[in-house]
Amino acid sequence: MYLNLLVIFLQCSELYAQGKVFTFNRVEIKVEPSDKVKNGAPMSIICHADISKNTYFQLKHNFTFLKDGKLVFMTMSDKEDARYAIPVAKSSDTGEYECRVNADGKMGFSKTIYVWVAGMTKPILTADKKEVSEGETVKLRCELPEEVPPLEFIFRKIKTNSEPIEKRVPEQNQNFSEMEYYVEAGDNILQFDCFGKRQVKSGWESSQHSNKTLVTVKEPFIKPTLITKPSNNITEGDQIEFECSTVAAQMHGIEIIFQKNRTILNSVRDKKFLRYSILATQEDSGEYLCKVEQGAVSKTTKRNVFVSELFPRPTLYASMTQLDESKDLILNCSINGLRRANFSILRKSSSGDILLKKSRILAIKVNVNDTGSYTCKAEVKGITKESKPVRISVYAPVSKPTLSVVSGSPEVVLGKPLQLICHSVMGTPPITFTFYKGDEIKKNVTNDTYATFLDEDIGLSDNGGYKCDARNNHSSGVKTSNILNVTVIVPIRDASLGSVPYGEVEVGSDTAFLCSVKEGSWPIDFKFFKKTDHEVLLHEVREYSDRTIWHKKTMKRKDTGTYYCVASNRASVNVRSRPITISVILAAWQKGVIAAFVLTAMAGAGAVALWWFLRKKKKAKGPSMEMSGSALAPNLASEKLTRPPSDGNYYSGSGYIEDNENHMKSTDESKDSMENRHSRIYGHPDAT
């Protein structure tokens, strides 16, 4: 029986274990009373696990609460709800909340919910001193004990009847900040406060202002007093006395400085007052400043002083400001409405003023060294005033100018610029120079002693007519240079070379070479060259003509070659002709001698050969050979007459005869042409 009960119990337990099934439907999170909570109010974060089971059974739930991804609370419960209670909410509780539920190895996750705890705790402000002196510092500390960084602290310095002065300090790692304030002169009673700011999802949030901290300021010395004697109605020549004073708790380190504008006039140390006196002039009108300093504290007092004019500034009059040397100059110094004064006339100099005369009038006969600036001074009751300077210019007359070419030679190449210089040895500058080309004014230049002119338009007709004028402020007027004649050099153009005879020249004969140019100024340098491995100069000559003839005597076979000529003049441009070729050949009589010698040799050789042949035949055939030899003789003779010559210098036919006759005729004509100045030069395109 007990065994049966045990079996039944085990079977029921197995069935119960097999039926324990559950699943998470969702996990929910909410905030009470709402997701926006006032600072200091209570709030709760509630997490609910919605779980489905196949039957009723107890289940343990492990709840985890996180804020901004960090664990803030954990609890274990049989129930499906858990609560994270915050009795006093602070701004640091603001953030993103979520919860996680672990049940029997299964996990459920909620969505996140943003909770904003509105408002920050009130900061606490403390000062390291309650009483300070001007020039010292006070250190402040502002703290937000219940807040979490990052934070921003704003310190405020509050003065009576003025806007608070703010200073901002960001703090990334702490919930407090410190600030030092310099206590300036005039900061009698100071108040300070502070507040904090933090960044939330909707922007920046500010705390309340802290408690106000009061700091009392002590003066190490009082603001200085500045007095003048006389205090008003000051006129030039009066004695003005200034007195600057202060009252200090401790005189050590006290410094009194007296200034006009930015200029320090006087100063004292460790004393309560400073005195300064001057003889008043109009230039002494202006703002004066008394400054007292001790350490970092500085206090000032200002006073305006006006000095009335005793007499106006004198005026210097000149009888003339520009005059010739040796003329009379009168300088007169005067004051409007005042005749009694101590006058003096001076000349300005870089090394100092030169006193000319203690008088209101100066009369002198001037020379060029008297050119300069002059002033006069007037003194009344110890007050001296100076006039504006007057410029006096004394002129010496210009000398007759000289006009020349800058390069030195009075000539210019056609198409090249011509630079001229006009110079006057004497004359007080400034001097105005005028350049003329013919009667036409080309340029005006004002300079000290010389001027230059560049003529870039040079033509063949510009062979003279240049001149220049010089003048200054002297009454003598204009001086004119001599006329400068300039030679225009025409460069060489188109050189040509010809010869007589042309082409072929017989050995031993003479040859005439003619080199000419189409254009170019004389004299012209002609040079004749023969072209070989290197240029060989054969002949050179200078001619006052556009052509020259060079006679080369007794031509030889080695004179065969290419010839050219080069022409140049003062334009320094070498112009080369086209080359011509000369062939030196044998004379006609030399050819005849050679031909006769060759024919004679050939005839002798033929006779010997015939004799040898007949002799051999005779020995071999006897009488029959004699008949054959007599029959061949006419044939050999005929063969000798019709065989062409073997020497290449010989030619048969009428063509050779005609060419030879023409050559001889040309040679004869060439000899006649050397005697006739109008004969044609072969190879020369424009010869006549």
Side-chain angles (χ1 to χ4, degrees):
M1 178 178 176
Y2 290 108
L3 181 60
N4 292 332
L5 291 173
L6 179 61
V7 170
I8 293 170
F9 176 77
L10 290 174
Q11 288 177 348
C12 290
S13 298
E14 184 177 354
L15 290 172
Y16 176 78
Q18 290 175 353
K20 191 178 179 181
V21 178
F22 72 94
T23 182
F24 279 96
N25 296 319
R26 63 180 178 274
V27 176
E28 297 175 333
I29 187 170
K30 64 179 181 177
V31 184
E32 290 183 353
S34 70
D35 57 1
K36 183 176 181 181
V37 184
K38 200 171 183 180
N39 194 302
M43 76 173 186
S44 295
I45 312 295
I46 299 170
C47 185
H48 171 70
D50 184 2
I51 300 174
S52 294
K53 303 176 184 177
N54 65 341
T55 185
Y56 175 77
F57 57 88
Q58 288 287 340
L59 191 62
K60 292 289 186 184
H61 306 89
N62 189 356
F63 292 90
T64 303
F65 292 83
L66 297 97
K67 173 182 170 287
D68 297 329
K70 295 180 181 178
L71 175 66
V72 292
F73 182 70
M74 288 183 67
T75 186
M76 184 80 71
S77 176
D78 294 335
K79 299 179 179 180
E80 294 181 352
D81 295 289
R83 178 184 296 267
Y84 168 41
I86 303 174
V88 180
K90 295 177 284 188
S91 59
S92 59
D93 294 323
T94 298
E96 300 273 356
Y97 286 85
E98 65 176 307
C99 75
R100 300 172 184 175
V101 182
N102 187 338
D104 199 17
K106 292 186 178 183
M107 293 287 293
F109 301 89
S110 74
K111 294 181 179 180
T112 61
I113 184 171
Y114 181 74
V115 179
W116 179 18
V117 181
M120 298 173 65
T121 57
K122 185 177 180 178
I124 301 170
L125 180 66
T126 56
D128 66 339
K129 299 174 185 175
K130 294 297 181 182
E131 186 178 81
V132 293
S133 294
E134 292 174 335
E136 293 181 346
T137 59
V138 59
K139 188 174 184 179
L140 304 176
R141 176 188 171 97
C142 186
E143 185 176 2
L144 290 164
E146 296 181 0
E147 303 297 335
V148 176
L151 299 165
E152 185 176 68
F153 292 87
I154 295 91
F155 293 85
R156 300 200 313 161
K157 178 182 177 182
I158 305 168
K159 295 175 68 174
T160 306
N161 299 325
S162 62
E163 289 292 324
I165 301 172
E166 293 186 352
K167 290 186 179 180
R168 297 174 179 267
V169 182
E171 294 289 354
Q172 299 294 326
N173 304 310
Q174 57 191 23
N175 61 357
F176 69 91
S177 184
E178 294 180 337
M179 170 67 65
E180 276 194 345
Y181 272 92
Y182 169 72
V183 181
E184 302 173 349
D187 290 345
N188 299 326
I189 297 176
L190 293 176
Q191 281 187 327
F192 297 94
D193 70 6
C194 70
F195 64 94
K197 295 178 73 174
R198 63 175 181 142
Q199 197 164 18
V200 294
K201 200 169 187 179
S202 59
W204 284 91
E205 186 176 32
S206 299
S207 74
Q208 303 176 49
H209 284 242
S210 71
N211 56 295
K212 284 186 170 55
T213 299
L214 185 67
V215 177
T216 304
V217 181
K218 297 186 297 182
E219 286 188 283
F221 57 87
I222 66 170
K223 185 177 180 179
T225 302
L226 177 60
I227 60 174
T228 61
K229 297 179 182 179
S231 59
N232 50 30
N233 297 328
I234 303 171
T235 305
E236 288 182 315
D238 293 345
Q239 195 76 22
I240 310 178
E241 291 188 359
F242 298 89
E243 184 176 297
C244 181
S245 61
T246 187
V247 177
Q250 183 181 358
M251 294 309 301
H252 180 70
I254 287 285
E255 184 176 20
I256 303 175
I257 300 171
F258 185 60
Q259 294 176 249
K260 183 190 177 191
N261 300 325
R262 298 173 60 88
T263 304
I264 296 176
L265 303 176
N266 198 7
S267 66
V268 294
R269 286 181 178 273
D270 302 333
K271 292 183 179 181
K272 293 184 179 181
F273 62 88
L274 172 150
R275 290 191 177 94
Y276 180 75
S277 64
I278 55 172
L279 186 66
T281 66
Q282 263 202 310
E283 287 75 19
D284 295 322
S285 295
E287 184 180 74
Y288 290 83
L289 182 143
C290 176
K291 182 185 290 186
V292 179
E293 295 179 344
Q294 187 180 47
V297 183
S298 177
K299 298 181 181 182
T300 61
T301 299
K302 297 178 181 178
R303 186 179 181 90
N304 282 309
V305 172
F306 176 74
V307 180
S308 300
E309 187 179 59
L310 177 63
F311 63 95
R313 187 178 184 180
T315 304
L316 181 63
Y317 297 95
S319 57
M320 298 179 68
T321 57
Q322 293 185 351
L323 64 165
D324 297 348
E325 62 180 353
S326 301
K327 296 290 185 179
D328 292 327
L329 172 67
I330 299 174
L331 299 175
N332 188 347
C333 186
S334 65
I335 300 174
N336 187 23
L338 182 68
R339 296 187 61 84
R340 298 187 64 183
N342 296 322
F343 293 97
S344 57
I345 297 177
L346 308 95
R347 181 179 174 185
K348 308 296 285 185
S349 171
S350 58
S351 58
D353 294 348
I354 301 170
L355 177 63
L356 300 178
K357 189 176 183 181
K358 288 187 175 183
S359 173
R360 64 185 301 165
I361 297 176
L362 173 66
I364 57 173
K365 193 176 289 293
V366 296
N367 60 54
V368 290
N369 294 326
D370 292 322
T371 295
S373 294
Y374 293 79
T375 64
C376 74
K377 292 182 179 181
E379 184 267 327
V380 178
K381 291 179 59 177
I383 301 299
T384 301
K385 295 187 178 182
E386 187 175 2
S387 70
K388 291 182 179 179
V390 175
R391 178 74 182 177
I392 303 297
S393 299
V394 181
Y395 293 94
V398 294
S399 58
K400 181 179 179 179
T402 57
L403 182 64
S404 59
V405 180
V406 171
S407 62
S409 177
E411 58 186 28
V412 62
V413 178
L414 180 67
K416 299 291 184 180
L418 172 68
Q419 189 169 29
L420 304 176
I421 181 168
C422 186
H423 177 250
S424 283
V425 177
M426 303 294 291
T428 305
I431 301 173
T432 299
F433 297 91
T434 304
F435 291 89
Y436 295 85
K437 185 175 181 180
D439 294 327
E440 182 184 358
I441 296 176
K442 286 295 185 179
K443 188 178 182 183
N444 284 306
V445 181
T446 300
N447 207 342
D448 288 347
T449 59
Y450 73 93
T452 59
F453 166 61
L454 185 67
D455 189 357
E456 297 181 310
D457 185 23
I458 301 297
L460 282 173
S461 60
D462 296 335
N463 287 326
Y466 291 99
K467 66 179 179 180
C468 69
D469 288 345
R471 67 181 183 277
N472 62 0
N473 289 324
H474 194 275
S475 60
S476 60
V478 177
K479 302 292 176 64
T480 304
S481 71
N482 293 332
I483 293 177
L484 175 66
N485 294 316
V486 176
T487 302
V488 179
I489 305 298
V490 180
I492 300 296
R493 185 168 68 89
D494 295 345
S496 300
L497 178 65
S499 68
V500 177
Y502 179 74
E504 292 184 346
V505 181
E506 292 185 350
V507 173
S509 65
D510 297 342
T511 300
F513 292 91
L514 170 64
C515 185
S516 66
V517 298
K518 281 191 176 180
E519 190 176 62
S521 297
W522 301 349
I524 300 175
D525 292 326
F526 294 94
K527 295 181 180 180
F528 294 85
F529 293 87
K530 181 182 179 185
K531 186 183 293 187
T532 59
D533 293 338
H534 57 279
E535 308 297 322
V536 178
L537 177 63
L538 303 174
H539 177 69
E540 62 180 326
V541 65
R542 174 170 291 183
E543 298 282 4
Y544 286 85
S545 172
D546 61 354
R547 64 192 60 206
T548 187
I549 296 177
W550 170 47
H551 296 274
K552 181 168 176 56
K553 304 289 186 181
T554 316
M555 296 290 284
K556 300 176 182 177
R557 291 295 293 270
K558 67 178 182 179
D559 292 327
T560 295
T562 301
Y563 293 79
Y564 65 91
C565 70
V566 174
S568 63
N569 61 4
R570 297 195 303 281
S572 302
V573 177
N574 294 327
V575 179
R576 180 170 171 170
S577 72
R578 289 186 177 181
I580 63 173
T581 301
I582 300 295
S583 298
V584 182
I585 61 175
L586 295 175
W589 66 269
Q590 291 175 320
K591 291 181 180 179
V593 169
I594 293 172
F597 177 78
V598 171
L599 290 173
T600 303
M602 290 178 63
V608 171
L610 180 62
W611 176 82
W612 180 80
F613 178 75
L614 293 174
R615 182 176 178 82
K616 187 175 180 181
K617 293 275 286 184
K618 185 177 181 180
K619 288 181 178 181
K621 296 183 178 181
S624 62
M625 288 296 295
E626 293 177 4
M627 292 177 64
S628 300
S630 61
L632 286 170
N635 293 334
L636 286 171
S638 175
E639 182 182 1
K640 181 177 179 182
L641 289 173
T642 59
R643 182 184 303 164
S646 60
D647 192 336
N649 289 329
Y650 287 83
Y651 300 91
S652 63
S654 61
Y656 169 75
I657 298 172
E658 288 175 0
D659 288 346
N660 190 46
E661 289 176 354
N662 290 338
H663 176 70
M664 295 299 293
K665 181 179 180 181
S666 175
T667 304
D668 294 337
E669 288 176 356
S670 299
K671 291 179 179 179
D672 294 342
S673 67
M674 292 297 292
E675 297 172 0
N676 188 347
R677 62 184 296 184
H678 298 292
S679 63
R680 177 177 177 82
I681 304 297
Y682 290 95
H684 198 279
D686 55 349
T688 58

